[in-house]
Amino acid sequence: MAGGKLSPRQKMINMMYLVLTAMLALNVSAEILEAFRTVQEGINNSTSAVEDKVRLIDEALAKEAEKNPDVAGPLLASSKDVNSEIANLIQFIDQVKHEVTMESGGYKNGATEFGQGDLPNKPDDYDGSSRILAEGTKGKDLKQKINDTRVALLAIVEKVAPQEKANFENNLTLEANDNEELPVGNPKRIWEYKNFYHVPIGATVTILDKIKNDAVNAQASINEFLLSRVGAVQVKIDKLAAQVMAESSYLPSGGKYDAKIFLAASSSNLNGKVYLGKLDMSKFETDSAGNYKPYVGNGEKDLPVSNPQELEMSGGMANYTGSAGVGSHSYSGVIQIPKPGQEGKFDNYPFTADYEVAPPAGLSISPTKMNVLYIGVDNPLSITVGDAKPGTVSASINNGTLSNQGNGKFVARPTSAGKANISVSGKNAAGANTGGSMEFRVKFIPDPIPTLGGDEALTLNGKGQKGTIKAKGGIVPLLKDFDFEARFTVESYDFYLTSGGDLLPARGNSGPMYSGTVNNLIDRAKPNDLMVFDNIKVKGPDGKTRKIPSMSFQVF
């Protein structure tokens, strides 16, 4: 009980307590009991002094929480949890003290109610402590309560600063452990037996007050630590720098350059990170001014960005190097910093930015004969207006739909073959409208070629082994050398087997797979017989049905 970081006075009290406990084993005289009473008074005086210290710490922490609720508020809440745990333990100890005193002859002042008694009437009585604490269940309950309180206090420390838990484990004297060095069966191995068996009530109340003193010292140590964390978690602004933020980093000849010039503050001890990726803006709330509030998450596993790419932050800043390809570029992400006062929690601040890379010497070449849009598929377009500011460009089409994907990217979906005009517009740096239009040809997607099982070696006219043809299982239409993702599905086909001068048909087969009749005819085929897949009808992504070329294979 004399371990840990204690004051010299506290260590002296603990030593006196141990010496007097040892003397009990030899003889209990009135002088020894009076000495215990003296030690008890010293312990209680020490406890009162520590309680005053706890009150001052709590008042200081409450004031810090008023000034800085984000930082000190969670720490104040943790200190209240500590106070609640200690208050419950002390109340339990006082109830145990009352019960044991009443069992040992009551109080000198004749009190019978809890909280109204003073000194024990029979300070040399052994029976009450032995019956209630050593041999009864109350001692086990007290031991469990002490250790449960210790676990709860360490959990509070771990929540605030996990790295400090081990230090408090080594220094908190509040614990009640059995003596594992003694053999099983030795009664003195058990904590409650060792401390309270055949111990007079005068010494028992001193021991219980010593446990209360350990509890209050633990309360003071942890709350003082929580108060010290206020300064540790605050972000100290120690850097100021002039910054310029331009609305556009690319201007045409004669354009107007606009920029905001301001003083930026940062912190050299800010241990944050920058994550690039697509922002999930649904996780961010806005304040009354429309500014985004930080999203509070649990670190890297709880980021409001998809496919995050980490940038290292040093001195409150991170460097980003983007693509130098011609055209418009954008990026977004979050700056993540530890949330003050909440271990394991992080504030995520969103950001977005864009820039534009011009072609060499302003050169732009467009293959006009290739201005083609296809029906039934997404036609991606990159649209820019030379002197328009980023974010002001809009476009429309007179044949189908045109959807804006952001950052100058659009998708066209024409509906009719022929021609389509795409009109674009934007606002330049002076706020004036600018733009134009361009004509495109609109075509249907080319017909696919039929294959067996997607094997380009088994298409149109050729030869094939019967087993290989059967193993392919059905017809797969393929689009060769086409740059768009477009899928055709087989709706129906006819099959013929010419064998020994006979024409054996299997017409009207539904879907791409071999029907049972087709499989039977394939099984009957012999070398030099002819298999024909005819009248093949497919449906394209535009929803229209087409007839594609037939396939014939000579069996070998």
Side-chain angles (χ1 to χ4, degrees), residues 467-527:
T468 301
I469 292 174
K470 185 173 182 180
K472 297 303 179 181
I475 301 172
V476 176
L478 293 180
L479 271 173
K480 292 190 65 177
D481 303 323
F482 190 67
D483 293 334
F484 293 82
E485 289 187 10
R487 185 169 177 266
F488 284 79
T489 58
V490 176
E491 291 192 314
S492 63
Y493 66 95
D494 296 335
F495 178 81
Y496 301 93
L497 175 64
T498 302
S499 179
D502 294 329
L503 180 64
L504 304 176
R507 300 185 179 91
N509 301 288
S510 179
M513 306 305 294
Y514 297 157
S515 66
T517 304
V518 171
N519 277 316
N520 289 336
L521 290 176
I522 293 174
D523 289 339
R524 291 178 56 179
K526 298 184 293 295

Side-chain angles (χ1 to χ4, degrees), residues 9 13 28 58 66 147 162 190 236 256 268 286 324 350 358 410 413 420 437 479 483 494 547:
R9 178 185 179 188
I13 291 173
V28 180
D58 290 347
E66 290 179 2
N147 290 330
I190 307 303
K236 296 180 175 61
K256 182 181 178 182
S268 58
T286 56
F410 291 78
R413 296 272 305 193
S437 64
L479 271 173
D483 293 334
D494 296 335
K547 183 179 177 181

Side-chain angles (χ1 to χ4, degrees), residues 32-49:
I32 292 177
L33 291 175
E34 182 59 29
F36 261 103
R37 176 62 186 158
T38 301
V39 172
Q40 182 186 13
E41 289 179 356
I43 291 173
N44 290 338
N45 289 337
S46 174
T47 300
S48 297

Side-chain angles (χ1 to χ4, degrees), residues 66-77:
E66 290 179 2
K67 294 187 294 183
N68 195 345
D70 290 339
V71 172
L75 296 172
L76 178 62

Side-chain angles (χ1 to χ4, degrees), residues 174-503:
L174 181 66
E175 59 182 334
N177 297 325
D178 295 337
N179 189 350
E180 303 292 343
E181 296 181 359
L182 295 177
V184 176
N186 187 332
K188 292 186 178 181
R189 174 187 174 95
I190 307 303
W191 177 83
E192 58 269 27
Y193 193 95
K194 176 184 66 176
N195 282 278
F196 301 111
Y197 181 73
H198 210 61
V199 174
I201 183 63
T204 296
V205 296
T206 301
I207 295 172
L208 294 175
D209 282 342
K210 173 63 175 63
I211 297 173
K212 288 171 59 176
N213 182 265
D214 289 338
V216 175
N217 271 296
Q219 179 185 19
S221 295
I222 295 176
N223 283 359
E224 188 172 25
F225 163 73
L226 294 174
L227 178 60
S228 71
R229 292 289 296 174
V230 175
V233 298
Q234 285 182 325
V235 177
K236 296 180 175 61
I237 302 301
D238 57 5
K239 286 186 176 182
L240 296 174
Q243 297 289 335
V244 178
M245 185 171 65
E247 293 189 15
S248 175
S249 57
Y250 172 72
L251 293 172
S253 176
K256 182 181 178 182
Y257 177 77
D258 291 320
K260 293 180 175 63
I261 302 172
F262 58 96
L263 192 64
S266 62
S267 173
S268 58
N269 69 345
L270 186 62
N271 296 318
K273 295 181 179 179
V274 175
Y275 292 96
L276 300 179
K278 184 177 180 181
L279 280 169
D280 180 4
M281 297 307 298
S282 64
K283 293 189 175 183
F284 294 92
E285 298 179 354
T286 56
D287 58 21
S288 57
N291 299 313
Y292 285 108
K293 298 179 181 178
Y295 166 71
V296 180
N298 296 316
E300 187 175 353
K301 296 181 179 179
D302 187 21
L303 287 170
V305 296
S306 57
N307 301 318
Q309 173 192 350
E310 181 182 345
L311 299 180
E312 185 177 351
M313 179 180 282
S314 176
M317 300 182 68
N319 292 324
Y320 168 70
T321 302
S323 170
V326 175
S328 298
H329 303 271
S330 64
Y331 59 97
S332 61
V334 292
I335 300 174
Q336 183 188 84
I337 61 172
K339 186 167 182 62
Q342 298 186 32
E343 194 73 25
K345 296 288 186 180
F346 295 84
D347 283 329
N348 294 273
Y349 294 85
F351 65 85
T352 59
D354 52 56
Y355 60 95
E356 187 171 354
V357 179
L363 181 64
S364 177
I365 301 175
S366 177
T368 55
K369 289 292 185 180
M370 297 301 294
N371 288 349
V372 178
L373 302 176
Y374 288 98
I375 297 173
V377 293
D378 287 346
N379 294 262
L381 302 172
S382 179
I383 298 176
T384 59
V385 180
D387 56 349
K389 295 198 299 184
T392 68
V393 174
S394 61
S396 62
I397 190 171
N398 67 349
N399 180 357
T401 62
L402 188 65
S403 58
N404 191 341
Q405 308 296 302
N407 300 316
K409 308 299 181 183
F410 291 78
V411 171
R413 296 272 305 193
T415 54
S416 302
K419 295 181 179 180
N421 276 297
I422 296 179
S423 300
V424 297
S425 63
K427 291 186 179 295
N428 60 22
N433 292 326
T434 181
S437 64
M438 183 175 290
E439 184 178 88
F440 287 78
R441 290 174 292 155
V442 180
K443 292 185 176 183
F444 288 106
I445 298 171
D447 287 340
I449 61 170
T451 69
L452 293 184
D455 188 346
E456 294 186 35
L458 293 174
T459 180
L460 301 178
N461 302 316
K463 294 182 179 183
Q465 292 182 333
K466 180 174 71 173
T468 301
I469 292 174
K470 185 173 182 180
K472 297 303 179 181
I475 301 172
V476 176
L478 293 180
L479 271 173
K480 292 190 65 177
D481 303 323
F482 190 67
D483 293 334
F484 293 82
E485 289 187 10
R487 185 169 177 266
F488 284 79
T489 58
V490 176
E491 291 192 314
S492 63
Y493 66 95
D494 296 335
F495 178 81
Y496 301 93
L497 175 64
T498 302
S499 179
D502 294 329
L503 180 64

Side-chain angles (χ1 to χ4, degrees), residues 142-160:
L142 176 60
K143 176 171 65 177
Q144 186 67 44
K145 184 69 174 176
I146 293 170
N147 290 330
D148 286 348
T149 302
R150 176 184 174 88
V151 170
L153 295 178
L154 291 174
I156 294 171
V157 172
E158 185 176 25
K159 179 181 178 182
V160 174

